[in-house]
Amino acid sequence: MEAKGSKKQAQAPSWPSPPDPGDLSKRVALRRAELRLSQVQVAARAGLSLRYLEYLERYPARPSATALRALAAALQTTPAALLGA
C-alpha cells in the first residue's frame, strides 16, 4: 500500500479544465503563444510558480497587482492589455 501512496504523491495533480476560463486567462495564453514562449519560460520570467501560471491560464482568476505587473512584463505587454482595457 505504501508504494501506491508514494506513487500518487510523486505525480503532480492536474487542474481540471473549466468550460470557460475567462478573458484574462485567454489573453495570457494567447499572448504567450504569440511570443512562442512555454509556460515554464513565462513563469520564470514573471517569478511565478508554474502551477500558478497554469491556473491563471485555465481559470477565471484575480491575480494580485504585483503578480499581474510581473506577468505583463514577462509577456511584454501591460496589465491593462491583459485585463482587456
Side-chain angles (χ1 to χ4, degrees):
M1 298 260 314
E2 287 182 32
K4 280 187 177 179
S6 298
K7 189 174 181 180
K8 281 186 178 180
Q9 289 175 353
Q11 296 175 357
S14 62
W15 296 102
S17 197
D20 184 19
D23 289 339
L24 175 65
S25 300
K26 290 174 187 174
R27 287 187 197 96
V28 169
L30 179 62
R31 183 62 183 154
R32 183 176 59 77
E34 288 172 352
L35 295 173
R36 297 182 182 193
L37 295 171
S38 70
Q39 287 180 327
V40 172
Q41 290 172 312
V42 172
R45 288 180 178 195
L48 302 173
S49 74
L50 178 58
R51 296 267 302 156
Y52 186 56
L53 180 60
E54 289 171 347
Y55 177 83
L56 288 175
E57 286 193 3
R58 292 187 180 160
Y59 290 92
R62 290 186 160 181
S64 68
T66 303
L68 184 62
R69 282 192 301 270
L71 185 57
L75 293 171
Q76 301 172 3
T77 189
T78 64
L82 290 178
L83 293 173

